[in-house]
Amino acid sequence: MQRQTSLTHQIQKAFKKLIGGFVALSFILMSTVIAVATLYNQERETQKYLELITAAFDIELNNAISQTDLLADTPLASLALEGSVGRDVYLNSLVREINNGRPHKIELYDFKGRPFISANTTTDKTDISEVLQDAIQNGALRSRLSTGRYDPILLAAFPIISARQGKPTGYAVLHFEVNHVLEHFQLPKDMNLKVLDTPSGENPSILSQLFTRTASSSVRAQHQGHTVALHFELSERTWDNSLFAFGMILLLAAGFLLTLERANRWAANFGDRISERLGNVLRFSREILASDKAKDLKPDTEPDEIGALSISLEELLRKERNYEQKLFNASYTDDLTGLPNYRAFKEKLAERIASEGPGASFCVLFIDLINLKGVNEAYGYEVGDQAIHKAGAHLAARLPEGHFLCRRSADEFSALIDDPGSSEALIQQLDRVITDAKVSVGHTTRTITTLQFSIGVARYPKDATNERDILIAAGAALQECKKTRRSRVILFDERIQKTVIRKYILQQKIKKLLDEHGFFLYYQPKVDMRNGQIVGFEALVRMPDPDEGFISPEEFIPIAEEANQIEYLTEQLLQRLLHDRDTIQSKFPGTKLSFNISTRLFNENRFLKIAADTLGEAQEDYTGIVFEITETELAQNLQVTLTQLSAIIGLGAEISIDDFGKGYSSLSRLADFPVHELKIDASFVRSYDLTSNDKMIRGIVGIARSLGLEIIAEGVETKSQEDMLILAGCFKAQGWRYAKALPLHEVLRLPGKITLRDE
Ligand code: C2E
Ligand code: CA
Ligand code: CA
């Protein structure tokens, strides 16, 4: 799982990283700049100072050298040294004047180095004699720095050359007092000047350079090709400056840290604020999602991106809700009536059971608009639709207050109403709903028609205690209504419950038999009544049952149709039929086998595929087979019926109209269909003595003749029925008079002609 980090935290983190990096970098940069600048400045200062000192020394030294030189060059000096006159008087005062107040003192020595005129100096005596001896030995200028116990003094011994003798007659010794020159400069405490006679050549370490700056320079004076030099090293303590720089850096760092801290706090506040506002936006949108109206919350309206987000989110969510509402309406509403659809009804039912708990008490109504088919056929589908619409409106107006009404399918409605308590009260309420439902339909004709309803009722929790069972119960009650027509309103009761249970048991048995391929196909002969000749057989399914012997197809076929078991059953029976066909037809040449098509399969256009699939790979077709469909199927969609019939005929079969004359006859359409045979319904045969039935039979025979169709009667049990049919012109028949439906092995034992003893 991804860990959640708050926006604030993220902003702070990013901020810290950014500012931290920035601070670190600037810290390093600034430190470097400050250090370099300080040290560079320092260096320049030291250098400058040294230059000044050097210049002063330069002047003073050259002055001293040239004065000494001048004195040494004076003929008087050499004369005096040679022992001539005026040496004390003149030379003494001259030297004294030169030495007065100057940083240098001059002394005179004779050619052997013995003092001649001395000055008041603190110079180390050994140093003097050494430099003197050096000059005497070389006969040239010699210098050295005396750094004895006292201040540093530059010593220089000059030979005084006699003009007459051309060789030194004595020596002038210059004492150049370094400190005397420096007095003018008053070196600051942190500066230290080192005077050397040769350059020190020291390389200060980097570390020491951090704390002291050293600059060096030299001054030189020339005398007769000899150089007198002094070297200086000015060092300055800089660690206090470094300390200053370091302090500055620390201060800056502190400043930065302080800024960082403040910035961090700002980032935190900013982040918190953003988080809070986003949180509000989130809550707001959730609120809208949950209730479609954010009651307490308002969108963020600040003029920034979050505000904009909040507002557009609100719009988006509202649109989405609208869209959802529309979708919801579309999937939960019936277009024609504007009522909720069955899906909405089922949800409402589930909700009612869930929310009202054990105390729930209500009725589920299944309402059928009985005469819609008649309206459709009489006035067309458009008027039929109007009738449905009006039926919805009528029910909505008449059903008791607080009902929930939906359109369940074409001509069926469902409703939930409160249970008034007694059955009488309930029936009274519903009678009011179904009576006097006169409506006008048709734009031009303004036909007044009476809507007829049947209502099946189941009560919760009396009849069932769950959603599925109460729907089954209401459906069963309505079924009972339709089937028995004993009343227009039927409440679910024990008897209906038994049929429901029976239906369930039969479904289980059918399933088991299908799995075992346990259904039989029996064959009932069709005979030519005039001579007893067998002309065909009708295949009839038989359902063996250990408890009941055989269960009637009239009972189990509709159940198999309802439970979608009919498809598989038909497939199994067709396989058997194809299998038996050759056996029967070789025993009874020229006979045809009839097979009943399930009404449901034919109406739903599913039979053709099963019939074709059953043929499979085999190079077979349905030659010699007659498919029986009931007359009502012809009344369905003309084009679909025609196409299906033609396709079935294409497979080699013929078509027979079963139970002809019994249903809602569309005799006029008969000519349009590719039919081969009419089968007169047994009801006309059974009560042949009614003149109306006799007329009916004659009529059917007439139609069959004029359309060139075969004609056969079924349910013939007696000789008189047979006679009547022959008289009416119907010669073929099927009935117990000749044989019941028989298993294959018994069929095969039948003679070609069934001869009957006359009663
Ligand atoms: P149906 O197609 O009208 O079949 C004729 C019914 O009348 C058969 O009942 C038959 O046994 C019965 N019957 C024949 N002669 C007489 C007679 O002289 N007197 C009386 N009272 N009845 C006679 P069954 O076999 O019980 O079939 C009932 C209905 O079940 C059939 O009516 C047919 O609609 C359906 N059915 C039967 N077999 C199949 C089948 O294989 N597939 C489909 N889809 N439906 C079948
Ligand atoms: Ca039949
Ligand atoms: Ca029949």
Side-chain angles (χ1 to χ4, degrees), residues 538 596 628 658-659 679-682 714:
E538 175 173 13
N596 296 284
E628 296 187 2
D658 205 352
D659 304 343
K679 229 175 156 180
I680 300 171
D681 189 62
E714 60 180 343

Side-chain angles (χ1 to χ4, degrees), residues 346-476:
K346 284 212 282 198
E347 284 186 15
K348 179 78 187 172
L349 172 66
E351 185 197 308
R352 193 154 178 180
I353 291 174
S355 66
E356 291 179 21
S361 162
F362 57 87
C363 304
V364 173
L365 315 182
F366 271 24
I367 308 166
D368 194 20
L369 179 57
I370 307 171
N371 58 335
L372 178 67
K373 208 167 178 183
V375 174
N376 271 340
E377 268 161 15
Y379 309 113
Y381 286 99
E382 204 182 313
V383 173
D385 282 354
Q386 282 180 37
I388 293 168
H389 186 85
K390 297 247 156 115
H394 173 84
L395 291 172
R398 293 286 182 91
L399 282 167
E401 195 91 338
H403 69 263
F404 184 92
L405 175 67
C406 87
R407 179 166 174 229
R408 192 153 66 95
S409 65
D411 51 0
E412 289 172 323
F413 295 85
S414 296
L416 285 177
I417 60 168
D418 294 334
D419 192 343
S422 74
S423 301
E424 292 71 35
L426 181 57
I427 288 177
Q428 224 175 10
Q429 267 187 356
L430 297 179
D431 275 341
R432 228 181 305 134
V433 174
I434 58 178
T435 49
D436 194 24
K438 277 197 167 48
V439 294
S440 97
V441 287
H443 293 300
T444 46
T445 51
R446 293 252 149 255
T447 314
I448 304 291
T449 184
T450 307
L451 301 172
Q452 292 169 26
F453 298 100
S454 329
I455 305 182
V457 187
R459 279 172 288 180
Y460 187 97
K462 181 177 157 291
D463 299 332
T465 49
N466 66 52
E467 195 188 324
R468 195 188 66 120
D469 290 353
I470 192 104
L471 290 175
I472 290 174

Side-chain angles (χ1 to χ4, degrees), residues 124 127 144-153 195-197:
D124 192 294
D127 286 346
R144 67 145 49 200
L145 190 68
S146 165
T147 54
R149 283 175 292 137
Y150 306 103
D151 296 334
I153 291 168
V195 186
L196 308 161
D197 53 349

Side-chain angles (χ1 to χ4, degrees), residues 524 538 540-542 553 596 598 658-659 714-717 735-736:
Q524 184 179 31
E538 175 173 13
L540 294 162
V541 67
R542 290 294 174 261
N596 296 284
S598 141
D658 205 352
D659 304 343
E714 60 180 343
V716 179
E717 295 182 2
W736 293 349

Side-chain angles (χ1 to χ4, degrees), residues 46-59:
T46 315
Q47 194 68 46
K48 250 256 113 73
Y49 218 90
L50 187 65
E51 270 168 28
L52 283 174
I53 293 170
T54 309
F57 270 99
D58 201 18
I59 293 163

Side-chain angles (χ1 to χ4, degrees), residues 55-65 102-104 176 180-181 184:
F57 270 99
D58 201 18
I59 293 163
E60 291 292 354
L61 185 67
N62 275 297
N63 184 23
I65 296 285
R102 308 294 322 162
H104 53 262
F176 185 78
H180 197 97
V181 180
H184 300 291

